[in-house]
Amino acid sequence: MTLNHLSTVRPRFSSAITITTVLIATSLYNATGAAAADGPSVPPGTEATASAPVELDPNDPDLKLPDGATLAEPKVLDIKQVVEEQSGDERREDTNTEVTFALQAEVLFGKDSAKLSAQAKARIGTIAEEIKKQNATKIRVFGFTDDLGSSAHGDVLSRERANAVHTILGQELNDPNVTYEVRGYGEQYPIADNSTEAGRKKNRRVEISFPRTES
């Protein structure tokens, strides 16, 4: 009886070893594959799920409109796509209705100057080609500065820089049907933190915007 009992146990034990070996090998294979993956990862617990994380009660009074209230008319929200050069010298924003180019002042002008460089004229020429492509006839050219120096000086400098860009655009487009809105906003409407030089550099800019071609 004892021998029969041992002969029965041994095959089961061998099978268990075999299964365990397979599981270990599979785990190691998966671990190696995960380490070699090139795709982006997400923090644990933030993975997408097929169901809502919180169950909602459709009969909850807080989810119902008050008596007499109505829903606003539905509308399509703009989707904004932003492409920025690695250097940060130029940024392009596209929405459903508008294209905006933002050029850093250092790319266009010398320090505290409104005189355009040859490189700046080439960049503006490229933007003019995009304006022609979109068949735009209304163009806005806005200048901005950081918050260093007096506000009055920033207003004047930003307007002079906007005027300089407008002049080159006018020469490149050479179209009497195109109208321009040219303004200098000085330190108003910063897009970055003025407390750092990196932020101030982003704020010193000229923006050129125009409508997209309607599809």
Side-chain angles (χ1 to χ4, degrees), residues 124 128 131-132 136-142 159 162-163 165-183 208-210:
I124 296 169
I131 293 172
K132 294 176 184 177
T137 57
K138 295 181 180 180
I139 302 169
R140 295 191 298 271
V141 184
F142 296 162
R159 177 58 189 259
N163 283 334
V165 172
H166 165 229
T167 298
I168 300 302
L169 272 180
Q171 294 172 359
E172 292 287 336
L173 296 174
N174 192 26
D175 187 346
N177 296 317
V178 174
T179 59
Y180 298 86
E181 181 182 356
V182 184
R183 296 186 181 182
I208 303 168
S209 57
F210 47 90

Side-chain angles (χ1 to χ4, degrees), residues 53-64:
V54 179
E55 257 186 63
L56 297 178
D57 179 6
N59 297 315
D60 188 332
D62 292 333
L63 299 179
K64 295 182 179 180

